[in-house]
Amino acid sequence: MGSLFRSEEMTLCQLFLQSEAAYACVSELGELGLVQFRDLNPDVNAFQRKFVNEVRRCDEMERKLRYLEKEIRRDGIPMLEIPGECPEAPQPREMIDLEATFEKLENELREVNQNAEALKRNYLELTELKHILRKTQVFFDEMADPSREEEQVTLLGEEGLMAGGQALKLGFVAGVILRERIPAFERMLWRACRGNVFLRQAEIDTPLEDPSSSDQVYKSVFIIFFQGDQLKTRVKKICEGFRATLYPCPESPADRREMAMGVMTRIEDLNTVLGQTQDHRHRVLVAAAKNIKNWFVKVRKIKAIYHTLNLFNLDVTQKCLIAECWVPALDMETIQLALRRGTERSGSSVPPILNRMETIEDPPTYNRTNKFTSAFQHLIYAYGVATYREVNPAPYTVITFPFLFAVMFGDLGHGAIMAAFGFWMCYKEKPLQAKKIDSEIWNIFFGGRYIILLMGLFSMYTGLIYNDIFSKSLNIFGSSWRNNYDGSTLQSNQLLQLNPDSKDYLQYPYPFGIDPVWQLAEANKIIFMNGYKMKISIIIGVFHMLFGVCLSLWNHLYFKRRISIYVEFIPQILFLSLLFFYMVLLMFIKWTTYGATPGHFGSQDPEIVKTSAFCAPSILITFINMMLFKHDKNTRPQCDDFMFSGQMFIQKLFVIVALLCVPIMLFGKPYFIMREQKQRARQGHQPVEGNAENGTAGGAPVPASGHHDEEITEVFIHQAIHTIEFVLGSVSHTASYLRLWALSLAHAQLAEVAWNMLLRKGLMSNDYQGGIFLYVVFAGWAAISVSILVLMEGLSAFLHTLRLHWVEFQSKFYGGEGYLFQPFSFEIILDSAGQAEE
Amino acid sequence: MAFVTELPYRVALSDGDVHKEKQTWETNYTPIYVMTTIFAIIFFIGPFAIKKGENKWIIKTCMMLASFFLWLFWVTVYIAGMNPLVGPQLRNTTLAWMAHTWGESALVTKTSGDTSSSGDTGSDG
């Protein structure tokens, strides 16, 4: 029975595979995703395993693919997503082909990149030369300008000029330097050469591309004039230090012009070559981009298969691989088929053998979920994985979780927003999934889309019942309250209260939910709602907990713990029902017994007074008095001090029986365990199916060696802890359900504040400017409604509901000591690899 | 606990017409019967309607749980509101609006002790 009720039955199997067929069979099993392999070589180093070479080759291939991917991304080429089905894991011989392809691609790409870099360097040099030639033209023109001749005399003074009788010859170097370095460069030159050099510089307008880092940098052309060889060497050294590139610049203008033309031609040639290189690279990358996702999948699958093969044992004859695996019992047929397919594919003649093994180990827990139930199952697993074959709380969580959330969130408007959001995500499931959006928050919301949809729908229902839509109520069926005060009373009193014991109340309630008049009430709306909401919280809580205890009955039956039924289940149910379910009944009795009597409004008839609002007792006080066996003095003589005849006797009886349950819970089970252990000791350690101890799971084989007897004190302590936990927990958990009231109150109040402070002011404004004001105010109100009321309150209510399930509900029956079934599945591996990439 | 009392009452219509009718007054349990029946059908008979599909069991469980909790929620509100012990405290402006839109109470008793006739109640100030 593969259902969610309890986890599936698992068998430990041994798998014998022929070495040739092993690869193909494992590939088929990986596609299936239903087998969890165990590591049969736990003490073997990763580097000493059998298939470590293949794994290494796969790693190498992955590295090459990642390099390719980086280059593709750099160029911004879109990578084709895999259409349709994932490609299957290729055969081992195909691996060599793949390796060759990747090798070739990588080498080609590296070569292209290197060439491109060299070409770019060349290009840079030529460009700089071009700029130099252009700019220095200006400098030389200035130097030759006759109007500036007096400046030429400065260097040696007039004596030198007269002595030499000729103009002094200035040497120069020309080069290019980064713009940022120019001030420091100038300063250095000035200091080092004692001001005897002359620097002219001009900025290059266009930025140049640095070949190694591909950054755009700004550079300047400079020319330094100096005299003499010493200065020349000094200048050259400084230029080296500042990493300025020097270029040979001819002196005569004619030479310069010629050089400039030559440079231009060479630049044009280089451009062409560069363009062609880039084209080639682009073509190579585009061709690779078509298949790269495909290749990634294939390589990852191969690697996964070899990792799995490393877990196997090689038998003595070296011809057969042995594997141990956990397999769901229902899927044996499917797995056999898969194995046969694998053997056929590999062309091997020997069929694989799959046979069951007996074991006393705990099998893993496996629950088959679909896309709807998996979200709820994950909520349960987050607390603890169910013990093997234990009752699974997840299917009930599908309804109780949204319901408890809705009790806390109850607002028709906000619920509608949430439901719309959930509906959109579920409706557009496939396209949204295909997009593979990165954001983690989105993935959390999208993963819980069905939860959100259900929460929204239930919230709409509870919103209708609470009669709360954005803090206003709907009057669909007509209120049951009327105003009977006349005009003069109204004029002289600002606040008036309606009396249910009169014509003000039509003596029948609003048919669906809370009467709409209560939203209009001033001071006592909250008081009334509190009384009602607290009671409904306790009622829901008691039912939820009783349901939890009933589930434990199924666990006891399945694990054949008959004694537990008598000494654990029955006392637990009695304790909870006699005390807390009785309180729930008291609430219903109070609601139906006390109130106005139509036709006898305001009557003083003692019989009628006894059932009027005046005599309604407080449930809390009644309950406390019941537990303490106290009897308060009757302060209202017209009223009975009981709600129904025989109440005192019944209450005393209930409390006594409930208290008697406690020692049964405390000592019952240890007593039976003790008795059994004595029996076993007398029979001399013959294995007896333990009825009281945690018996064997139904269907699993009885272990050959019995359990060794636990220490009797351990058993007592264990049971004492459980009993105290249950007894104290019953009180504290019941009170804990009051959070349903607290959060719904907070939500209602927040909604009211948002309405009164924001939208109401907008709606009450007049004229055209009122329209604009309303437009702005609505934006604010909507933003607050969505961000605080839907998102924040939603998150808060979600958390509290989760806590109610994990602690209050599950502590009644859940063990949660299992471990998860983690099958060898390509889907899971590819998903996690894809996520790790991003 | 149904109070069966014969009460003559007068309906005050907006055009001032007043006429007597006899009506048996009972605590109105009809909505409880209706809603309980609806939810009971979903709870008891719904599961038999699901015959096929591999998710039979969980659909049935969900139907039963949902119908039970939704019914419980509704029935608690209804029973809580059947015999209210206090009434709402309202502003005089709200009360005036109530009288204007919802009309006055349709219940006027003629037994001794209760006096007010239908005419002079709830007129606008």
Side-chain angles (χ1 to χ4, degrees), chain A residues 4-5 370 373 395-396 398-400 403 407 458 461-462 465-466 475 479 481-487 490 493-498 500 503 505-514 517-518 520-524 532 536 539 543 588 591-592 594-595 597-599 601 613 616, chain B residues 1 3 5 7 25 27-28 31 35 39 55 57-58 61-62 65-66 68-92 94-99 102-109 111 114 116-117 120-125:
Chain A
L4 272 185
F5 181 58
N370 53 24
T373 50
Y396 318 110
V398 172
I399 294 294
T400 57
F403 178 68
V407 174
F458 273 87
Y461 179 81
T462 54
I465 299 227
Y466 284 154
N475 190 0
S479 169
W481 295 82
R482 295 285 182 273
N483 169 35
N484 288 310
Y485 291 109
D486 62 356
L490 288 182
N493 294 303
Q494 199 185 25
L495 284 177
L496 288 165
Q497 187 157 2
L498 296 182
K503 292 179 312 209
Y505 177 60
L506 296 185
Q507 302 307 315
Y508 55 85
Y510 191 72
F512 193 84
I514 294 192
V517 79
W518 285 104
L520 307 169
E522 286 292 318
N524 62 355
Y532 157 68
I536 183 73
I539 292 172
F543 275 108
F588 278 99
W591 278 335
T592 44
Y594 295 94
T597 316
F601 292 139
Chain B
M1 277 180 278
F3 301 99
T5 320
L7 299 174
W25 179 253
T27 314
N28 194 5
M35 294 293 274
F39 282 116
N55 292 319
W57 182 82
I58 189 149
T61 316
C62 285
L65 270 175
F68 174 71
F69 276 112
L70 294 181
W71 169 79
L72 179 70
F73 204 58
W74 173 82
V75 91
T76 317
V77 187
Y78 191 82
I79 295 183
M82 269 190 340
N83 300 314
L85 300 177
V86 286
Q89 194 180 63
L90 298 157
R91 239 189 258 257
N92 50 1
T94 316
L95 286 166
W97 171 84
M98 272 168 69
W102 294 347
E104 51 186 67
S105 172
L107 211 53
V108 171
T109 55
T111 52
D114 300 337
S116 33
S117 58
D120 59 336
T121 53
S123 50
D124 300 277

Side-chain angles (χ1 to χ4, degrees), chain A residues 236-306:
Chain A
K236 282 216 171 126
K237 282 215 182 108
I238 295 176
C239 288
E240 257 177 61
F242 276 84
R243 263 180 263 281
T245 18
L246 297 173
Y247 290 97
C249 191
E251 275 208 44
S252 67
D255 287 339
R256 278 204 297 274
R257 261 198 300 279
E258 224 179 283
M259 195 181 212
M261 285 194 307
V263 163
M264 294 303 287
T265 356
R266 278 164 68 196
I267 286 184
E268 271 166 38
D269 288 339
L270 253 181
N271 258 333
T272 334
V273 177
L274 212 57
Q276 280 174 350
T277 318
Q278 295 287 31
D279 275 344
H280 179 65
R281 185 187 128 100
H282 192 81
R283 269 196 307 270
V284 167
L285 286 178
V286 162
K290 287 206 193 91
N291 297 319
I292 194 164
K293 293 267 177 198
N294 222 337
W295 286 333
F296 260 122
V297 165
K298 284 189 178 165
V299 169
R300 286 196 179 117
K301 282 194 179 177
I302 300 180
K303 195 159 122 172
I305 295 179
Y306 279 116

Side-chain angles (χ1 to χ4, degrees), chain A residues 364-376:
Chain A
T365 311
Y366 176 52
N367 280 309
R368 223 179 284 261
T369 52
N370 53 24
K371 65 184 180 190
F372 176 69
T373 50
S374 67
F376 297 100

Side-chain angles (χ1 to χ4, degrees), chain A residues 160-404:
Chain A
L161 201 58
M162 282 172 161
Q166 54 188 358
L168 290 161
K169 197 66 171 31
L170 286 178
F172 69 93
V173 287
V176 170
I177 190 175
L178 281 173
R179 228 183 255 182
E180 300 92 64
R181 299 205 180 134
I182 289 239
F185 186 53
E186 249 182 302
R187 255 200 311 277
M188 185 60 125
L189 276 175
W190 183 261
R191 288 192 194 137
C193 308
R194 299 200 192 116
N196 285 329
V197 294
F198 179 58
L199 168 81
R200 286 298 304 274
Q201 50 111 337
E203 292 179 350
I204 302 179
D205 304 315
T206 52
L208 303 163
E209 193 185 335
D210 181 30
S212 44
S213 63
S214 300
D215 288 339
Q216 308 276 29
V217 289
Y218 283 99
K219 294 196 175 177
S220 300
V221 168
F222 67 86
I223 183 164
I224 304 177
F225 293 97
F226 49 80
Q227 192 191 28
D229 281 329
Q230 266 191 358
L231 281 178
K232 187 176 181 183
T233 22
R234 225 176 273 179
V235 162
K236 282 216 171 126
K237 282 215 182 108
I238 295 176
C239 288
E240 257 177 61
F242 276 84
R243 263 180 263 281
T245 18
L246 297 173
Y247 290 97
C249 191
E251 275 208 44
S252 67
D255 287 339
R256 278 204 297 274
R257 261 198 300 279
E258 224 179 283
M259 195 181 212
M261 285 194 307
V263 163
M264 294 303 287
T265 356
R266 278 164 68 196
I267 286 184
E268 271 166 38
D269 288 339
L270 253 181
N271 258 333
T272 334
V273 177
L274 212 57
Q276 280 174 350
T277 318
Q278 295 287 31
D279 275 344
H280 179 65
R281 185 187 128 100
H282 192 81
R283 269 196 307 270
V284 167
L285 286 178
V286 162
K290 287 206 193 91
N291 297 319
I292 194 164
K293 293 267 177 198
N294 222 337
W295 286 333
F296 260 122
V297 165
K298 284 189 178 165
V299 169
R300 286 196 179 117
K301 282 194 179 177
I302 300 180
K303 195 159 122 172
I305 295 179
Y306 279 116
H307 268 306
T308 314
L309 284 176
N310 272 338
L311 302 174
F312 294 3
N313 240 342
L314 204 57
D315 84 328
V316 245
T317 61
Q318 298 281 335
K319 277 221 282 224
C320 159
L321 284 168
I322 309 175
E324 262 180 39
C325 49
W326 286 109
V327 156
L330 287 174
D331 288 323
M332 293 282 276
E333 280 302 312
T334 334
I335 296 179
Q336 296 272 24
L337 270 163
L339 287 172
R340 223 168 293 153
R341 265 205 310 274
T343 348
E344 276 168 33
R345 257 192 26 205
S346 68
S348 157
S349 53
V350 181
I353 305 173
L354 182 74
N355 62 339
R356 293 178 190 234
M357 270 172 41
E358 309 293 343
T359 178
I360 53 169
E361 272 181 44
D362 278 327
T365 311
Y366 176 52
N367 280 309
R368 223 179 284 261
T369 52
N370 53 24
K371 65 184 180 190
F372 176 69
T373 50
S374 67
F376 297 100
Q377 187 68 62
H378 281 306
L379 282 181
I380 304 294
Y381 280 162
Y383 181 69
V385 179
T387 322
Y388 179 63
R389 292 298 261 170
E390 184 181 46
V391 165
N392 184 15
Y396 318 110
T397 310
V398 172
I399 294 294
T400 57
F401 189 92
F403 178 68
L404 289 181

